[in-house]
Amino acid sequence: MVTDGLMPDPQAQQLMVFGPNTIADFTYHQPVSFIAGLVTDDADNPAADVGVYASSDMVDLLVYTDSTGYYEIGVDPGHYWVGVDGESAFEHYLIPNEREVFVDEGGATHDITLYRPNDTISGQVVLNNAPWPGVMVFAWNDLVGAGVTFADSTGNFSIPVYSPVADGYYLDVQADGPMEGLVRLSEMNNVMPGATGQMLEYETVTGGLEGNIYDANTDEVLIDQVGMAAIDMITGQQYNAFPNWDNGMYRLYLPDGDYMIWAGGQNYYPA
């Protein structure tokens, strides 16, 4: 729980509950530092009433910009991911990529630029060879962020994007329900603004691979910064999966076929 303007101390507690009357007390204090900055569009105009969040392992904080685009979030020193709340911005701007910000007792300044869309990428999204209506479709670029829209009743979409960009956009969907068991049959990388006829194809599958990734020297189950990949030997389509933080296992859903598979990660040779 976080109250307006106050920080929990400690930020979280782990408790064993026995019986109906376990007591958990919380104390709060004024934050001793801050993250502040200006949110403007690509023409340097202030972006008012845009939500800006600061998130850590323990807290999620949200404020809104004033009429000048200024925001200020009271925090304790530490590392935070700072970004823009998509619901407050996506109708007028691309949603920028969140950034990691380190805060000391002197505070931190973090300005954010929002890009107004001036072009589109259009196409159709299908699931199991049928139009997929109502699903959220996005186009993401590392520099300018993500444009978001929803497929219509026939699965057609037109995503607002910003142009020009040196590198293109990555296209994908975000479903309301769990994405487990859904595999993408078409790669949509480096799609340039103005592109039309883009086909995003997905299929529901129940089979695939699962297991753990081990350190060859220590037999330790690896979770952080490692992953599993499989390439379809016929189509060349690549599928990726990463270990689950709760149980350390990866689960990689795959259509029927022949695959080349490998695991790897930071500071490890592929195996």
Side-chain angles (χ1 to χ4, degrees), residues 78-269:
H79 288 271
Y80 295 86
W81 287 98
V82 179
V84 165
D85 171 57
E87 290 188 5
S88 67
F90 83 94
E91 290 185 354
H92 304 289
Y93 309 99
L94 271 65
I95 302 170
N97 302 312
E98 65 177 9
R99 303 297 183 190
E100 188 174 17
V101 176
F102 174 73
V103 184
D104 59 22
E105 292 188 357
T109 299
H110 180 67
D111 295 331
I112 300 173
T113 299
L114 303 179
Y115 289 83
R116 289 186 179 272
N118 57 10
D119 210 333
T120 60
I121 295 173
S122 62
Q124 186 183 37
V125 56
V126 298
L127 173 63
N128 298 328
N129 295 315
W132 193 356
V135 68
M136 178 187 292
V137 190
F138 66 86
W140 174 83
N141 177 275
D142 185 55
L143 176 63
V144 300
V148 177
T149 191
F150 294 87
D152 66 16
S153 60
T154 62
N156 291 314
F157 62 83
S158 180
I159 310 172
V161 296
Y162 177 82
S163 178
V165 288
D167 297 315
Y169 289 82
Y170 166 77
L171 274 54
D172 206 345
V173 303
Q174 180 61 54
D176 286 338
M179 296 283 285
E180 276 199 354
L182 289 179
V183 296
R184 188 178 59 195
L185 302 179
S186 55
E187 285 288 348
M188 288 293 167
N189 297 312
N190 202 33
V191 180
M192 299 306 291
T196 60
Q198 304 300 298
M199 287 296 296
L200 282 170
E201 301 175 89
Y202 297 82
E203 180 179 326
T204 304
V205 298
T206 57
L209 301 170
E210 66 178 11
N212 296 105
I213 302 173
Y214 294 92
D215 185 300
N217 295 318
T218 67
D219 284 335
E220 173 191 3
V221 175
L222 301 175
I223 298 177
D224 191 23
Q225 297 181 328
V226 294
M228 186 75 181
I231 292 184
D232 189 305
M233 299 294 290
I234 303 299
T235 67
Q237 175 75 18
Q238 179 169 321
Y239 304 90
N240 301 286
F242 303 93
N244 183 292
W245 281 93
D246 293 330
N247 58 25
M249 294 185 66
Y250 73 85
R251 179 170 291 173
L252 183 58
Y253 289 94
L254 297 169
D256 293 345
D258 294 322
Y259 294 89
M260 178 184 295
I261 63 172
W262 74 91
Q266 187 171 354
N267 301 319
Y268 288 92
Y269 289 107

